[in-house]
Amino acid sequence: MNSLKPFRIDNDFKFFLLDQRLLPYKEVWVLIDNYQEMAAAIKDMIVRGAPAIGIAAAFGYAMGFRDSENSPDGNIYMKDVKKTLAATRPTAVNLFWALERMSTLYSTGTDFKTLWNEAFSIALEDEVACKTMGKFGADHITGTKLRVLTHCNAGALATGGWGTALGVIRELHAQGRLDVVYSDETRPRQQGSRLTAWELKRDGINVEMTTDTMAGHMMKSGLIDCAITGADRIASNGDTANKIGTYQVAVCAHYNKIPFYIAAPVSTIDFSIPDGSFIKIEERDESEVTHINGEIQTAEGVKARNFGFDVTENNLISAIFTEKGTLLPPFNTAILTLR
Amino acid sequence: MNSLKPFRIDNDFKFFLLDQRLLPYKEVWVLIDNYQEMAAAIKDMIVRGAPAIGIAAAFGYAMGFRDSENSPDGNIYMKDVKKTLAATRPTAVNLFWALERMSTLYSTGTDFKTLWNEAFSIALEDEVACKTMGKFGADHITGTKLRVLTHCNAGALATGGWGTALGVIRELHAQGRLDVVYSDETRPRQQGSRLTAWELKRDGINVEMTTDTMAGHMMKSGLIDCAITGADRIASNGDTANKIGTYQVAVCAHYNKIPFYIAAPVSTIDFSIPDGSFIKIEERDESEVTHINGEIQTAEGVKARNFGFDVTENNLISAIFTEKGTLLPPFNTAILTLR
């Protein structure tokens, strides 16, 4: 079985995204041929997960360069490319980080193949980073027969491969120290039940799903040893934005004295903001809440709120696993060492 | 518009339950003709909600008596009736309370019509109790333009009418002090989005739904003034069992210094148990978690945990509203006064 990735590249620079909206029911690969299609794919969540969004945007930027060669002013065109890709999702910082890296390379005067290879490097580096942080995480976490809760999907599908939170879990599994992964459903978009459960089952890792209402009860009942999630943006003090519902998991873990961990590459850290209050929380269409798979789940006409992310304050986080090592509180000083 | 109730009685003692599994999509009234059908209806959750289960069981008991008149030994038959009805759901104590009340009356030597009227009295008293506790709750809660979070359905559908938690909310609405009710979806069975949102919208009360992942974030963001739920069983010290996910709401409210209230009739109090550790938590079929409306929501073969309830400890509860008044901490002494 091939190692799972959210994208595939065929000969002649043909780039495909695995349509994560259709998993686990169908595996459909969508050809992405230009930067506009890439922007739409990120916005519509064909691809999601902070590191994977960064990778997709980087390839989109390279595609934009390819098309810019037919335009009268390449610089203006590339500004538009960057702006369009950056405007797709507001919370995950890896998107902006990857676009910065690509546009810095562009500004040195370069060619399409170099930009394409740079995007490919971002993806490869991310996969290597996941494996490294997975080892750091597994080293830090003590015990065997571990029962680990995770929220959303911070797996191979969300990264260049392997996964951040699921990277730690994969390493624990490889070391024979994992009993079971409890995967929160993660409404509204169900990335936990649809993606995490599918991804782990595919790779022979013992996973059970729960609804988002059960984590607290299971912690209190002694069924969970630790919780671990990915991150969409980490502020300089360690405050961490991640998929909506992460905050509740962290509060319940804190209240029940269970470790709560974040796993994320250094590219997720936004050194420009002092704390989580500066992170823009995406609000998405209410139909994601009122509907599941296109079917209404409430009375006709009922309105809904739909926050895409929440911020977990640093005091609720036991450790942050990165590819450069494990960060421990106080996070503001620990994070400064990475700058 | 008629006042909403979970049951309807026609001439000649014809008893119908509103099939709550089909709401809000269809309003189907199911004829319940004997105690076996009533037991199945409670088990399958055609009717749900602690007080409503008690009422349904009481009518089932009366139906059992009607049929016992054809049996050789009425006492043995009625023991079976009671046992069957009591075995339908393990957590809500109102079920056992109502059956005790009915069997005590039966043991005095009585007739069908008296038993039927007793069941009817239980329903009527519950509706009156809801209105009374609603007033106590609204008196206790301060402020106007209130934004109130609720979990599951503790409304007219869950009671003899009016509702417990939603009874307080209906009273706040009547007093013009309500801005909006946020209704948690309440997976796995979505009683929040399907029942609470439908019930409140039907009655012109401003309601918006959220997923179960959003309550914590909304509390932290200053969007919620208080949370209020019903209860399935309250121990002598105030520890409260309610729909799975209630505990998380209470923990997040506590952490964010937002009041968390319980509204429940005195029949919900189990004076026989000192604390919540004695409450049996129902585990239900995993298909309720893996499926929604009959459609699978995860990868084929993924297992799930499905806890029906959780216990919120008394230290997380700001007040308990009953028809006999508002209970305040320390709940163990407050509850003793009701015994």
Side-chain angles (χ1 to χ4, degrees), chain A residues 209-232:
Chain A
M209 72 163 286
T210 67
T211 56
D212 301 307
T213 46
M214 294 181 191
H217 170 71
M218 291 174 72
M219 289 179 187
K220 197 175 73 151
S221 306
L223 294 171
I224 291 171
D225 297 306
C226 67
I228 179 163
T229 74
D232 288 86

PDB file of all heavy atoms in Angstrom, chain A residues 209-232:
ATOM      1  N   MET A 209     -14.218   5.763  16.588  1.00  0.00           N
ATOM      2  CA  MET A 209     -14.714   7.131  16.555  1.00  0.00           C
ATOM      3  C   MET A 209     -15.665   7.393  17.733  1.00  0.00           C
ATOM      4  O   MET A 209     -16.229   6.465  18.314  1.00  0.00           O
ATOM      5  CB  MET A 209     -15.382   7.474  15.227  1.00  0.00           C
ATOM      6  CG  MET A 209     -16.706   6.833  14.978  1.00  0.00           C
ATOM      7  SD  MET A 209     -17.657   7.651  13.621  1.00  0.00           S
ATOM      8  CE  MET A 209     -18.213   9.186  14.386  1.00  0.00           C
ATOM      9  N   THR A 210     -15.769   8.661  18.081  1.00  0.00           N
ATOM     10  CA  THR A 210     -16.742   9.098  19.075  1.00  0.00           C
ATOM     11  C   THR A 210     -17.364  10.382  18.540  1.00  0.00           C
ATOM     12  O   THR A 210     -16.813  10.999  17.634  1.00  0.00           O
ATOM     13  CB  THR A 210     -16.074   9.417  20.432  1.00  0.00           C
ATOM     14  OG1 THR A 210     -15.233  10.561  20.262  1.00  0.00           O
ATOM     15  CG2 THR A 210     -15.258   8.255  20.937  1.00  0.00           C
ATOM     16  N   THR A 211     -18.482  10.770  19.116  1.00  0.00           N
ATOM     17  CA  THR A 211     -19.005  12.085  18.758  1.00  0.00           C
ATOM     18  C   THR A 211     -18.260  13.145  19.572  1.00  0.00           C
ATOM     19  O   THR A 211     -17.587  12.833  20.555  1.00  0.00           O
ATOM     20  CB  THR A 211     -20.508  12.183  19.053  1.00  0.00           C
ATOM     21  OG1 THR A 211     -20.724  11.876  20.425  1.00  0.00           O
ATOM     22  CG2 THR A 211     -21.287  11.197  18.194  1.00  0.00           C
ATOM     23  N   ASP A 212     -18.415  14.385  19.159  1.00  0.00           N
ATOM     24  CA  ASP A 212     -17.711  15.484  19.832  1.00  0.00           C
ATOM     25  C   ASP A 212     -18.223  15.715  21.247  1.00  0.00           C
ATOM     26  O   ASP A 212     -17.612  16.472  22.005  1.00  0.00           O
ATOM     27  CB  ASP A 212     -17.878  16.771  19.018  1.00  0.00           C
ATOM     28  CG  ASP A 212     -17.329  16.614  17.613  1.00  0.00           C
ATOM     29  OD1 ASP A 212     -16.163  16.207  17.488  1.00  0.00           O
ATOM     30  OD2 ASP A 212     -18.062  16.878  16.645  1.00  0.00           O
ATOM     31  N   THR A 213     -19.339  15.096  21.598  1.00  0.00           N
ATOM     32  CA  THR A 213     -19.921  15.251  22.928  1.00  0.00           C
ATOM     33  C   THR A 213     -19.289  14.327  23.966  1.00  0.00           C
ATOM     34  O   THR A 213     -19.580  14.460  25.146  1.00  0.00           O
ATOM     35  CB  THR A 213     -21.434  14.930  22.863  1.00  0.00           C
ATOM     36  OG1 THR A 213     -21.616  13.730  22.106  1.00  0.00           O
ATOM     37  CG2 THR A 213     -22.202  16.053  22.210  1.00  0.00           C
ATOM     38  N   MET A 214     -18.446  13.381  23.552  1.00  0.00           N
ATOM     39  CA  MET A 214     -18.038  12.305  24.457  1.00  0.00           C
ATOM     40  C   MET A 214     -16.657  12.447  25.081  1.00  0.00           C
ATOM     41  O   MET A 214     -16.339  11.762  26.048  1.00  0.00           O
ATOM     42  CB  MET A 214     -18.133  10.958  23.727  1.00  0.00           C
ATOM     43  CG  MET A 214     -19.576  10.607  23.383  1.00  0.00           C
ATOM     44  SD  MET A 214     -19.769   9.017  22.541  1.00  0.00           S
ATOM     45  CE  MET A 214     -21.507   9.169  22.025  1.00  0.00           C
ATOM     46  N   ALA A 215     -15.810  13.334  24.547  1.00  0.00           N
ATOM     47  CA  ALA A 215     -14.422  13.401  25.006  1.00  0.00           C
ATOM     48  C   ALA A 215     -14.341  13.674  26.508  1.00  0.00           C
ATOM     49  O   ALA A 215     -13.594  12.997  27.228  1.00  0.00           O
ATOM     50  CB  ALA A 215     -13.669  14.480  24.222  1.00  0.00           C
ATOM     51  N   GLY A 216     -15.094  14.640  26.993  1.00  0.00           N
ATOM     52  CA  GLY A 216     -15.033  14.997  28.413  1.00  0.00           C
ATOM     53  C   GLY A 216     -15.408  13.825  29.305  1.00  0.00           C
ATOM     54  O   GLY A 216     -14.694  13.495  30.256  1.00  0.00           O
ATOM     55  N   HIS A 217     -16.515  13.181  28.978  1.00  0.00           N
ATOM     56  CA  HIS A 217     -16.956  12.025  29.763  1.00  0.00           C
ATOM     57  C   HIS A 217     -15.904  10.918  29.764  1.00  0.00           C
ATOM     58  O   HIS A 217     -15.636  10.290  30.792  1.00  0.00           O
ATOM     59  CB  HIS A 217     -18.274  11.493  29.201  1.00  0.00           C
ATOM     60  CG  HIS A 217     -18.694  10.183  29.786  1.00  0.00           C
ATOM     61  ND1 HIS A 217     -19.142  10.064  31.074  1.00  0.00           N
ATOM     62  CD2 HIS A 217     -18.694   8.926  29.264  1.00  0.00           C
ATOM     63  CE1 HIS A 217     -19.426   8.791  31.324  1.00  0.00           C
ATOM     64  NE2 HIS A 217     -19.153   8.085  30.243  1.00  0.00           N
ATOM     65  N   MET A 218     -15.300  10.685  28.611  1.00  0.00           N
ATOM     66  CA  MET A 218     -14.305   9.609  28.513  1.00  0.00           C
ATOM     67  C   MET A 218     -13.043   9.955  29.290  1.00  0.00           C
ATOM     68  O   MET A 218     -12.407   9.080  29.889  1.00  0.00           O
ATOM     69  CB  MET A 218     -14.010   9.303  27.043  1.00  0.00           C
ATOM     70  CG  MET A 218     -15.212   8.650  26.359  1.00  0.00           C
ATOM     71  SD  MET A 218     -14.978   8.419  24.584  1.00  0.00           S
ATOM     72  CE  MET A 218     -13.786   7.089  24.574  1.00  0.00           C
ATOM     73  N   MET A 219     -12.669  11.219  29.308  1.00  0.00           N
ATOM     74  CA  MET A 219     -11.520  11.641  30.126  1.00  0.00           C
ATOM     75  C   MET A 219     -11.823  11.401  31.598  1.00  0.00           C
ATOM     76  O   MET A 219     -11.016  10.837  32.332  1.00  0.00           O
ATOM     77  CB  MET A 219     -11.235  13.129  29.903  1.00  0.00           C
ATOM     78  CG  MET A 219     -10.643  13.440  28.542  1.00  0.00           C
ATOM     79  SD  MET A 219     -10.381  15.228  28.400  1.00  0.00           S
ATOM     80  CE  MET A 219      -9.905  15.346  26.672  1.00  0.00           C
ATOM     81  N   LYS A 220     -12.996  11.847  32.026  1.00  0.00           N
ATOM     82  CA  LYS A 220     -13.388  11.708  33.428  1.00  0.00           C
ATOM     83  C   LYS A 220     -13.463  10.243  33.827  1.00  0.00           C
ATOM     84  O   LYS A 220     -13.190   9.876  34.978  1.00  0.00           O
ATOM     85  CB  LYS A 220     -14.741  12.382  33.639  1.00  0.00           C
ATOM     86  CG  LYS A 220     -15.029  12.657  35.089  1.00  0.00           C
ATOM     87  CD  LYS A 220     -16.321  13.424  35.270  1.00  0.00           C
ATOM     88  CE  LYS A 220     -17.507  12.532  35.016  1.00  0.00           C
ATOM     89  NZ  LYS A 220     -18.679  12.975  35.813  1.00  0.00           N
ATOM     90  N   SER A 221     -13.841   9.391  32.867  1.00  0.00           N
ATOM     91  CA  SER A 221     -14.010   7.962  33.152  1.00  0.00           C
ATOM     92  C   SER A 221     -12.696   7.185  33.066  1.00  0.00           C
ATOM     93  O   SER A 221     -12.698   5.959  33.167  1.00  0.00           O
ATOM     94  CB  SER A 221     -15.014   7.368  32.160  1.00  0.00           C
ATOM     95  OG  SER A 221     -16.211   8.091  32.173  1.00  0.00           O
ATOM     96  N   GLY A 222     -11.585   7.892  32.849  1.00  0.00           N
ATOM     97  CA  GLY A 222     -10.286   7.214  32.823  1.00  0.00           C
ATOM     98  C   GLY A 222     -10.027   6.429  31.550  1.00  0.00           C
ATOM     99  O   GLY A 222      -9.223   5.496  31.544  1.00  0.00           O
ATOM    100  N   LEU A 223     -10.672   6.796  30.472  1.00  0.00           N
ATOM    101  CA  LEU A 223     -10.510   6.056  29.211  1.00  0.00           C
ATOM    102  C   LEU A 223      -9.488   6.690  28.279  1.00  0.00           C
ATOM    103  O   LEU A 223      -9.206   6.148  27.209  1.00  0.00           O
ATOM    104  CB  LEU A 223     -11.860   5.962  28.477  1.00  0.00           C
ATOM    105  CG  LEU A 223     -12.942   5.136  29.180  1.00  0.00           C
ATOM    106  CD1 LEU A 223     -14.291   5.289  28.473  1.00  0.00           C
ATOM    107  CD2 LEU A 223     -12.522   3.665  29.206  1.00  0.00           C
ATOM    108  N   ILE A 224      -8.957   7.858  28.658  1.00  0.00           N
ATOM    109  CA  ILE A 224      -8.057   8.587  27.758  1.00  0.00           C
ATOM    110  C   ILE A 224      -6.787   8.979  28.519  1.00  0.00           C
ATOM    111  O   ILE A 224      -6.860   9.555  29.607  1.00  0.00           O
ATOM    112  CB  ILE A 224      -8.772   9.824  27.176  1.00  0.00           C
ATOM    113  CG1 ILE A 224      -9.881   9.362  26.204  1.00  0.00           C
ATOM    114  CG2 ILE A 224      -7.795  10.757  26.470  1.00  0.00           C
ATOM    115  CD1 ILE A 224     -10.790  10.455  25.722  1.00  0.00           C
ATOM    116  N   ASP A 225      -5.623   8.651  27.931  1.00  0.00           N
ATOM    117  CA  ASP A 225      -4.350   8.968  28.581  1.00  0.00           C
ATOM    118  C   ASP A 225      -3.812  10.331  28.178  1.00  0.00           C
ATOM    119  O   ASP A 225      -3.145  10.991  28.966  1.00  0.00           O
ATOM    120  CB  ASP A 225      -3.317   7.885  28.248  1.00  0.00           C
ATOM    121  CG  ASP A 225      -3.746   6.539  28.792  1.00  0.00           C
ATOM    122  OD1 ASP A 225      -4.015   6.463  30.008  1.00  0.00           O
ATOM    123  OD2 ASP A 225      -3.844   5.578  28.011  1.00  0.00           O
ATOM    124  N   CYS A 226      -4.054  10.717  26.938  1.00  0.00           N
ATOM    125  CA  CYS A 226      -3.634  12.049  26.504  1.00  0.00           C
ATOM    126  C   CYS A 226      -4.410  12.424  25.249  1.00  0.00           C
ATOM    127  O   CYS A 226      -4.999  11.573  24.591  1.00  0.00           O
ATOM    128  CB  CYS A 226      -2.131  12.113  26.239  1.00  0.00           C
ATOM    129  SG  CYS A 226      -1.577  11.134  24.833  1.00  0.00           S
ATOM    130  N   ALA A 227      -4.412  13.719  24.965  1.00  0.00           N
ATOM    131  CA  ALA A 227      -5.046  14.217  23.741  1.00  0.00           C
ATOM    132  C   ALA A 227      -3.991  14.930  22.927  1.00  0.00           C
ATOM    133  O   ALA A 227      -3.090  15.574  23.479  1.00  0.00           O
ATOM    134  CB  ALA A 227      -6.194  15.168  24.083  1.00  0.00           C
ATOM    135  N   ILE A 228      -4.090  14.803  21.605  1.00  0.00           N
ATOM    136  CA  ILE A 228      -3.114  15.462  20.737  1.00  0.00           C
ATOM    137  C   ILE A 228      -3.807  15.916  19.463  1.00  0.00           C
ATOM    138  O   ILE A 228      -4.606  15.182  18.886  1.00  0.00           O
ATOM    139  CB  ILE A 228      -1.911  14.537  20.450  1.00  0.00           C
ATOM    140  CG1 ILE A 228      -0.909  15.224  19.534  1.00  0.00           C
ATOM    141  CG2 ILE A 228      -2.336  13.200  19.874  1.00  0.00           C
ATOM    142  CD1 ILE A 228       0.438  14.559  19.546  1.00  0.00           C
ATOM    143  N   THR A 229      -3.502  17.153  19.074  1.00  0.00           N
ATOM    144  CA  THR A 229      -4.078  17.696  17.842  1.00  0.00           C
ATOM    145  C   THR A 229      -2.988  18.413  17.051  1.00  0.00           C
ATOM    146  O   THR A 229      -1.885  18.644  17.547  1.00  0.00           O
ATOM    147  CB  THR A 229      -5.205  18.717  18.128  1.00  0.00           C
ATOM    148  OG1 THR A 229      -4.623  19.940  18.605  1.00  0.00           O
ATOM    149  CG2 THR A 229      -6.213  18.192  19.143  1.00  0.00           C
ATOM    150  N   GLY A 230      -3.316  18.796  15.842  1.00  0.00           N
ATOM    151  CA  GLY A 230      -2.459  19.654  15.044  1.00  0.00           C
ATOM    152  C   GLY A 230      -2.719  21.112  15.385  1.00  0.00           C
ATOM    153  O   GLY A 230      -3.295  21.420  16.440  1.00  0.00           O
ATOM    154  N   ALA A 231      -2.271  22.001  14.509  1.00  0.00           N
ATOM    155  CA  ALA A 231      -2.472  23.432  14.729  1.00  0.00           C
ATOM    156  C   ALA A 231      -2.569  24.130  13.392  1.00  0.00           C
ATOM    157  O   ALA A 231      -1.944  23.704  12.413  1.00  0.00           O
ATOM    158  CB  ALA A 231      -1.315  24.017  15.531  1.00  0.00           C
ATOM    159  N   ASP A 232      -3.352  25.190  13.354  1.00  0.00           N
ATOM    160  CA  ASP A 232      -3.426  26.026  12.159  1.00  0.00           C
ATOM    161  C   ASP A 232      -2.574  27.280  12.282  1.00  0.00           C
ATOM    162  O   ASP A 232      -2.133  27.834  11.283  1.00  0.00           O
ATOM    163  CB  ASP A 232      -4.876  26.391  11.846  1.00  0.00           C
ATOM    164  CG  ASP A 232      -5.633  25.184  11.323  1.00  0.00           C
ATOM    165  OD1 ASP A 232      -6.150  24.402  12.145  1.00  0.00           O
ATOM    166  OD2 ASP A 232      -5.659  24.983  10.094  1.00  0.00           O
TER     167      ASP A 232
END
